[in-house]
Amino acid sequence: MGIIHIMLGILKVVGILLLIVLGILLMAVLAALFCPVTYSAVGRRDAEAYEGRVRIGWLFRLISFTFTFGSERGGDFCIRIFGIPLNRKKEEASQKSLQASRGDGFKPAEPEKIVEKKTEQEHGEKTEKEAERKTETITETVTEKKTDSVLQKLQEFLKQIPGIPKKFLDVLKKISLTVHHICDKINQIKEFLESERFSRLKALFFQEGKRTICHIRPRKIKGHIKIGTGDPYRTGQLLAVAGIFFPVYGEHITIEPYFEQKILEGNMSVKGRIYGSFFVRLAWRLFRDSDIRFMIKKIKRG
């Protein structure tokens, strides 16, 4: 009976550990699907300087990535997990390396070492002269060998003249076969592009792409921009292009044009979120489509 109780106790502990692991995996999957990845960006520019910050967070910013930049401090990034920065050691190491590089490591040369350097230079000049003589003799022998090899190749080429037409015809046959194969592939691709299946695929990708853009687009946009090129015609063109994207930013961004002044100033802030469940549903819809499965099979067959 004692052994049975021990075995049951072990099985109970193993079962509890398995349930804990399964619970952690389930929580991770649910977090990946339903906990959004948030992003935000803030920027400012005036006549003297500019600066900005981009932040991406997950699990209510328990895991975050921040990138800051500016005209005075350059670019810098920071990765935090549970509020603890991971790249602190790299920053300390870079600072230490800069301090070490700034240290004085120069020592004046001693007079004895200067004399030794002079003798070494004289010895080096002698060895260079001997090396030049050796290279001259080596080049002469190499040129003789090259002339002999060229003559041998000419003799072999003259011996193979009767078999050259046959080899040339074989090469032409191979080229014609490859050209016919390429033409067949081009015709197959052309037929597929003109088919109804491709038109349905094009409509499907356009629809899903539109959904994806609507999902990942910023939910909150706010800003004020002062823009001017110094040329009224070009400034008017920029305002016309900005008017095309008016449905995207709406009345949240105000544009103040300057027709006779060259200027680019303002501030802007953007916020949005992305859900993992959206991409899972997107992949499932694409996988269920018969046209996409047909295209995948066609690509695998070649």
Side-chain angles (χ1 to χ4, degrees):
M1 291 296 291
I3 296 171
I4 294 170
H5 284 297
I6 292 168
M7 293 295 292
L8 290 173
I10 293 169
L11 291 172
K12 184 179 177 181
V13 172
V14 171
I16 292 168
L17 290 173
L18 287 173
L19 286 173
I20 291 168
V21 172
L22 289 173
I24 292 169
L25 290 174
L26 182 63
M27 290 293 291
V29 171
L30 291 174
L33 291 175
F34 300 106
C35 189
V37 176
T38 59
Y39 65 89
S40 63
V42 180
R44 183 187 65 83
R45 179 186 173 89
D46 54 17
E48 297 178 355
Y50 66 90
E51 62 180 359
R53 184 189 70 213
V54 179
R55 180 180 290 171
I56 299 170
W58 185 52
L59 288 175
F60 305 102
R61 291 186 182 175
L62 293 176
I63 300 171
S64 65
F65 171 82
T66 306
F67 177 73
T68 56
F69 59 92
S71 57
E72 296 178 356
R73 58 185 174 183
D76 190 15
F77 70 94
C78 181
I79 300 169
R80 292 177 180 270
I81 296 176
F82 298 102
I84 301 169
L86 298 181
N87 54 344
R88 183 184 292 172
K89 293 181 180 179
K90 292 181 181 179
E91 292 177 357
E92 291 176 357
S94 62
Q95 289 177 0
K96 288 180 180 178
S97 63
L98 286 171
Q99 290 175 1
S101 62
R102 289 172 184 173
D104 296 330
F106 178 75
K107 294 181 180 179
E110 296 177 358
E112 294 179 357
K113 291 184 179 179
I114 293 168
V115 175
E116 290 178 357
K117 286 181 181 178
K118 288 182 180 180
T119 54
E120 286 178 357
Q121 288 177 359
E122 292 175 356
H123 183 68
E125 290 176 356
K126 292 180 181 178
T127 53
E128 285 178 358
K129 290 179 181 179
E130 292 177 357
E132 287 176 357
R133 292 175 185 174
K134 289 181 181 179
T135 51
E136 288 176 357
T137 55
I138 289 166
T139 51
E140 289 177 358
T141 54
V142 168
T143 50
E144 290 178 357
K145 288 181 180 179
K146 284 184 178 179
T147 52
D148 294 334
S149 64
V150 170
L151 292 171
Q152 289 177 0
K153 287 179 180 179
L154 284 172
Q155 290 176 359
E156 291 176 356
F157 179 72
L158 292 171
K159 288 178 182 178
Q160 291 179 357
I161 285 174
I164 285 172
K166 186 179 178 181
K167 292 180 180 178
F168 184 69
L169 290 172
D170 293 335
V171 171
L172 287 177
K173 286 180 181 179
K174 289 179 181 179
I175 291 169
S176 63
L177 289 172
T178 53
V179 168
H180 284 301
H181 183 68
I182 291 167
C183 290
D184 292 335
K185 288 288 184 185
I186 291 169
N187 290 326
Q188 289 177 4
I189 293 167
K190 190 177 179 182
E191 289 176 0
F192 178 71
L193 293 176
E194 293 175 353
S195 64
E196 294 181 0
R197 193 183 293 272
F198 179 74
S199 62
R200 290 197 300 269
L201 280 171
K202 190 165 60 174
L204 177 67
F205 283 124
F206 180 77
Q207 183 181 1
E208 297 299 336
K210 189 177 178 181
R211 283 182 183 174
T212 305
I213 291 169
C214 290
H215 178 72
I216 65 176
R217 67 182 176 83
R219 300 292 172 181
K220 293 181 180 179
I221 303 174
K222 189 177 179 181
H224 179 75
I225 299 172
K226 299 177 182 178
I227 187 168
T229 60
D231 185 3
Y233 177 71
R234 290 183 180 178
T235 305
Q237 286 183 332
L238 286 174
L239 290 174
V241 173
I244 296 171
F245 297 98
F246 182 78
V248 178
Y249 59 85
E251 298 178 354
H252 302 288
I253 296 177
T254 57
I255 298 173
E256 186 179 351
Y258 287 78
F259 292 96
E260 296 181 356
Q261 185 180 357
K262 191 174 182 181
I263 186 173
L264 181 59
E265 297 179 6
N267 52 41
M268 185 179 291
S269 64
V270 174
K271 290 182 181 181
R273 83 286 184 276
I274 301 169
Y275 283 95
S277 58
F278 172 82
F279 293 99
V280 172
R281 290 197 300 269
L282 175 64
W284 177 247
R285 285 196 298 268
L286 295 176
F287 178 75
R288 287 183 61 190
D289 191 79
S290 59
D291 296 328
I292 290 176
R293 284 185 287 180
F294 175 80
M295 187 176 66
I296 292 168
K297 288 179 182 178
K298 196 84 173 173
I299 292 168
K300 286 182 179 179
R301 289 175 185 174

